[in-house]
C-alpha cells in the first residue's frame, strides 16, 4: 500500500512559507501593476490569506484566458495573482511527496530533468533498442477526471483540511471547461497534478507490462523494445487500461510503432541513434517568435534587455543540442546552417558543418573534416579531451620519442616539425608550448598532419606506453 502523509497544512499556511511563495510568484513580474499593488500591501494581504486558509473560507478568484498557437491553438488560463501565491505555497510543501513516487524517466516539471534531458534519454534508449512506440494522449488536460484525481491525492495526503483545499483548487470553475473534468493550462498546480495523474501509467507500463524502456514528458511518452510484436501488445493493453482507470484515450494519429533508424519525433526534435534533427515546425516557430520580439522592440513595446533575454533564450534552447546559426547570424536572421547534428562523433560535429560530415574531404587543412578529427579524438586512451587545442597530459599514456634529438621543449616539439608544417602550408597560427616537458598544445588540424609528418619525414613519432 502506498504511504500517506500528514501534518502538512500548517506548513502550507505558515507565514514564512507564504512569504517565500510571494517571492517566487512575483519573480520577473514585479513591474506589473497587479503585482506592484499586492507587494505594496504584502503584510496585510498575506495575513488575510493565511486566515482564510486556516478557517476554510479561501476561494479562488475568477480567471482570465487568452489563446496561443503552440503550434496548435491552446487556451491559457491565468489565475489571479493572489491565487498564484497559494499555488506556490501549496506546491512547495506537497511536491516532494508527489515527486518521490515518480519514476526516474518522467521528465516534466522536475528539478534536474526537463525536455532537454528527456531528449537525451530517448536517444540513449534508441541506441539500445531497435523499435519504439511513440504515443500521445488526446486532449489530456481537458480529459482529467476530477474525482479520479482527488481520490489519488487524498490517498497520498490524509489531512482533511488539505483535502478541502485540494478540492477547492481542482473544482474551481474555468470557462469552456466541462464540469467535473479538466485542469486549466497555465497553473502551477495543474502541472503537478497532471504529472501525478499519469504517474500511474508509468508504473503500469514498467511493473505490469514489463516494458523494457519508457520516457515520458507529461502526456507525450515513448516505449522501446527489440520486438515490434511486444510494442503492439503493450499499445493494446495500455489503451484499455487508460480508458478504464483514468478515463483517457490515446490520439490515433500520434501513435505509431517504428524502427529507431527511421527517427523518433519527440519534443520538437527528431531523434536518431547517432544524430538529432530539429523539426522544421519548431525551427519556424522559433524564428517567428524572434521576429515578433524584434518588431515589438522597434515599436517601443519591448525594452532592450527583454529583447536580449528573448533571443538568448531561443538561441540557448537550440544551442544545447549543437544547433547553431539557425536564428541569428551576425545580428541578422540566419540564411544558412543545418538543423542536423551528429552526436557521439568528433568535437566538430556542430550544426554549421554537419553537411561536410558525410563527405570524404578529410585533408588536414579542412576545418570541417570528420574522420581525421575522429582518429585523433577517439584513438587514444580513455579520458583524453576532444578539443581543437589538444593537450597531452602525463597521465594519458602517450610517450613522445625524439630520435633526431631536436628536443620537445621548443615550439611544436622543435624546429623540424615547425619547418615541415610551414613547407606544407598547414600552420595558420602560432601554437603554444605545453607547461610540462614532453608535452605540447597544438592546433588539432596541425596535430593530425603532424602524426604522419613526424613519422615519415622527420622521424618523431607517437608511441603508447
Amino acid at each position: 500500500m502506498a504511504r500517506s502523509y500528514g501534518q502538512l497544512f500548517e506548513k502550507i499556511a505558515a507565514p514564512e512559507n507564504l512569504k517565500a511563495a510571494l517571492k517566487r510568484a512575483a519573480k520577473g513580474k514585479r513591474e506589473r501593476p497587479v503585482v506592484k499593488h499586492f507587494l505594496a500591501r504584502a503584510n496585510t494581504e498575506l495575513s488575510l490569506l493565511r486566515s482564510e486558509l486556516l478557517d476554510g473560507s479561501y476561494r479562488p478568484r475568477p480567471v482570465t484566458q487568452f489563446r496561443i498557437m503552440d503550434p496548435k491553438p491552446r487556451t491559457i488560463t491565468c489565475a489571479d495573482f493572489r491565487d498564484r501565491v497559494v499555488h506556490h505555497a501549496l506546491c512547495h510543501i506537497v511536491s516532494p511527496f508527489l515527486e518521490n513516487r515518480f519514476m526516474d524517466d518522467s521528465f516534466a516539471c522536475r528539478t534536474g530533468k526537463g525536455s532537454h534531458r528527456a531528449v537525451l534519454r530517448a536517444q540513449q534508449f534508441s541506441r539500445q533498442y531497435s523499435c519504439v512506440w511513440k504515443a500521445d494522449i488526446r486532449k489530456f488536460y481537458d480529459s482529467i477526471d476530477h474525482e479520479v484525481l482527488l481520490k489519488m491525492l487524498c490517498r497520498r495526503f490524509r489531512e482533511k483540511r488539505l483535502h478541502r483545499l485540494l478540492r477547492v483548487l481542482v473544482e474551481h470553475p474555468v470557462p469552456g471547461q466541462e464540469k467535473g473534468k479538466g485542469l486549466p493550462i497555465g497553473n502551477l498546480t495543474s502541472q503537478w497534478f497532471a504529472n501525478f495523474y499519469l504517474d500511474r501509467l508509468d508504473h503500469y507500463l514498467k511493473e505490469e507490462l514489463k516494458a523494457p524502456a519508457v520516457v515520458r514528458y507529461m502526456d507525450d511518452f515513448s516505449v522501446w523494445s527489440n520486438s515490434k510484436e511486444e510494442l503492439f501488445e503493450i499499445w493494446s493493453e495500455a489503451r484499455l487500461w487508460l480508458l478504464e482507470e483514468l478515463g483517457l484515450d490515446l490520439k490515433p494519429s500520434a501513435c505509431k510503432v517504428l524502427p529507431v533508424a527511421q527517427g523518433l519525433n519527440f519534443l520538437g526534435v527528431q531523434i536518431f541513434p547517432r544524430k538529432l534533427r530539429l523539426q522544421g515546425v519548431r525551427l519556424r516557430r522559433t524564428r517567428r517568435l524572434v521576429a515578433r520580439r524584434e518588431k515589438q522592440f522597434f515599436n517601443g513595446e519591448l525594452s532592450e534587455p527583454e529583447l536580449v533575454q528573448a533571443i538568448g533564450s531561443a538561441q540557448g534552447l537550440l544551442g544545447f543540442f549543437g544547433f547553431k546559426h539557425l536564428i541569428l547570424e551576425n545580428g541578422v536572421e540566419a540564411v544558412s546552417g543545418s538543423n542536423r547534428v551528429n552526436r557521439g562523433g568528433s568535437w566538430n560535429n556542430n550544426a554549421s558543418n554537419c553537411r561536410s560530415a558525410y563527405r570524404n574531404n578529410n585533408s588536414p587543412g579542412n576545418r570541417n573534416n570528420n574522420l581525421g578529427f575522429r582518429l585523433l579524438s577517439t584513438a587514444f586512451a580513455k579520458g583524453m579531451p576532444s578539443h581543437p587545442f589538444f593537450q597531452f597530459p602525463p597521465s594519458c599514456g602517450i610517450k613522445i620519442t625524439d630520435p633526431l634529438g631536436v628536443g620537445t621543449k621548443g615550439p611544436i616539439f622543435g624546429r623540424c616539425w615547425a619547418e615541415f608544417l610551414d613547407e606544407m602550408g598547414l600552420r595558420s597560427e602560432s601554437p603554444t608550448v605545453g607547461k610540462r616537458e614532453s608535452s605540447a598544445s597544438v592546433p588539432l588540424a596541425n596535430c593530425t598532419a603532424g602524426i604522419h609528418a613526424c613519422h615519415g619525414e622527420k622521424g618523431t613519432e607517437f608511441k603508447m606506453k
Side-chain angles (χ1 to χ4, degrees):
M1 181 180 292
R3 182 180 175 182
S4 63
Y5 300 90
Q7 300 180 353
L8 299 178
F9 192 82
E10 288 290 343
K11 296 180 181 179
I12 294 171
E16 58 273 14
N17 185 49
L18 292 176
K19 288 181 181 179
L22 172 60
K23 185 177 180 180
R24 289 192 296 272
K27 186 176 180 180
K29 308 178 184 69
R30 290 178 176 268
E31 297 304 316
R32 298 182 183 181
V34 64
V35 180
K36 279 186 175 181
H37 179 72
F38 194 96
L39 290 174
R41 307 176 62 250
N43 291 334
T44 303
E45 292 285 354
L46 292 181
S47 177
L48 180 60
L49 197 55
R50 170 175 163 79
S51 299
E52 291 181 9
L53 289 172
L54 291 176
D55 62 23
S57 63
Y58 167 76
R59 293 295 181 272
R61 294 179 179 178
V63 300
T64 58
Q65 294 181 314
F66 61 92
R67 301 272 288 177
I68 64 169
M69 294 290 293
D70 186 39
K72 61 184 180 181
R74 295 180 187 273
T75 300
I76 305 300
T77 301
C78 292
D80 186 84
F81 182 74
R82 185 173 187 266
D83 299 324
R84 276 179 267 163
V85 174
V86 176
H87 296 170
H88 278 276
L90 172 68
C91 291
H92 180 67
I93 300 300
V94 304
S95 60
F97 303 103
L98 299 177
E99 189 174 3
N100 63 11
R101 177 179 164 79
F102 294 168
M103 304 197 78
D104 287 340
D105 291 326
S106 173
F107 287 88
C109 309
R110 301 177 66 186
T111 303
K113 299 286 187 178
S115 59
H116 292 43
R117 286 175 174 80
V119 168
L120 297 181
R121 183 63 163 166
Q123 187 180 45
Q124 179 184 348
F125 286 141
S126 292
R127 293 173 179 176
Q128 297 175 6
Y129 299 95
S130 60
C131 301
V132 60
W133 168 42
K134 171 181 164 46
D136 198 0
I137 295 175
R138 184 204 301 271
K139 297 183 178 179
F140 171 56
Y141 275 92
D142 293 335
S143 303
I144 293 176
D145 189 287
H146 290 175
E147 288 303 322
V148 175
L149 173 61
L150 288 169
K151 186 177 179 181
M152 293 168 59
L153 289 170
C154 291
R155 258 201 309 260
R156 199 69 176 162
F157 306 107
R158 56 176 178 265
E159 283 183 273
K160 296 298 182 182
R161 290 188 296 177
L162 182 53
H163 293 177
R164 183 171 60 245
L165 175 61
L166 292 171
R167 182 171 291 277
V168 164
L169 293 175
V170 170
E171 295 183 345
H172 180 59
V174 175
Q177 190 172 279
E178 182 183 349
K179 186 176 180 180
K181 283 196 172 184
L183 292 177
I185 299 176
N187 286 355
L188 179 63
T189 51
S190 297
Q191 298 176 33
W192 278 103
F193 294 165
N195 207 15
F196 179 67
Y197 195 74
L198 274 186
D199 175 68
R200 288 180 60 193
L201 173 64
D202 297 339
H203 286 271
Y204 177 73
L205 290 172
K206 293 291 291 184
E207 297 167 6
E208 300 294 330
L209 300 184
K210 307 298 181 184
V214 180
V215 170
R216 182 176 66 82
Y217 189 89
M218 202 55 76
D219 61 321
D220 195 355
F221 65 96
S222 299
V223 181
W224 284 261
S225 175
N226 287 323
S227 168
K228 278 191 174 183
E229 290 75 14
E230 181 182 11
L231 290 178
F232 278 113
E233 184 177 346
I234 291 174
W235 181 350
S236 176
E237 296 289 338
R239 182 176 180 273
L240 292 175
W241 184 88
L242 282 169
L243 283 170
E244 294 174 0
E245 297 293 329
L246 301 181
L248 302 174
D249 194 12
L250 295 174
K251 188 188 302 181
S253 60
C255 296
K256 59 185 72 175
V257 173
L258 65 157
V260 295
Q262 186 175 325
L264 167 66
N265 291 329
F266 187 61
L267 301 178
V269 180
Q270 193 171 18
I271 301 170
F272 298 88
R274 299 292 170 183
K275 178 172 65 178
L276 298 177
R277 188 175 190 272
L278 189 67
Q279 287 183 268
V281 62
R282 181 171 183 176
L283 175 59
R284 291 190 293 273
R285 188 166 74 246
T286 304
R287 282 180 170 172
R288 283 197 298 267
L289 173 64
V290 171
R292 191 161 60 247
R293 293 290 180 262
E294 286 181 333
K295 184 176 180 181
Q296 290 175 340
F297 171 71
F298 288 122
N299 291 339
E301 302 171 7
L302 207 64
S303 66
E304 184 176 349
E306 291 173 330
L307 175 65
V308 171
Q309 183 180 12
I311 294 178
S313 175
Q315 289 276 46
L317 184 67
L318 304 180
F320 180 88
F321 298 114
F323 304 115
K324 298 179 181 178
H325 311 301
L326 294 179
I327 301 176
L328 297 175
E329 192 171 280
N330 298 326
V332 298
E333 184 174 344
V335 294
S336 63
S338 174
N339 62 342
R340 296 184 297 275
V341 57
N342 288 350
R343 304 193 69 83
S346 70
W347 69 273
N348 206 21
N349 279 333
N350 60 33
S352 61
N353 68 15
C354 276
R355 292 165 182 164
S356 67
Y358 300 102
R359 298 200 300 263
N360 192 23
N361 187 9
N362 291 309
S363 65
N366 178 11
R367 183 178 179 275
N368 288 334
N369 67 61
N370 190 37
L371 297 181
F373 286 154
R374 192 182 300 274
L375 170 66
L376 194 60
S377 300
T378 60
F380 296 140
K382 274 189 175 181
M384 295 290 287
S386 180
H387 194 276
F389 287 92
F390 197 80
Q391 183 81 20
F392 293 127
S395 61
C396 70
I398 298 177
K399 181 180 179 181
I400 304 172
T401 63
D402 186 21
L404 295 183
V406 298
T408 59
K409 295 183 181 180
I412 322 183
F413 307 152
R415 181 177 53 81
C416 61
W417 192 354
E419 289 177 354
F420 176 78
L421 295 177
D422 286 336
E423 292 170 3
M424 297 296 291
L426 299 176
R427 190 163 59 145
S428 59
E429 56 184 289
S430 297
T432 58
V433 183
K435 294 182 179 179
R436 297 177 181 271
E437 185 174 344
S438 300
S439 68
S441 175
V442 298
L444 189 54
N446 294 353
C447 216
T448 310
I451 293 174
H452 303 290
C454 293
H455 179 70
E457 296 290 331
K458 300 297 181 180
T460 303
E461 61 183 10
F462 293 110
K463 288 185 178 180
M464 304 300 293
K465 281 185 179 181

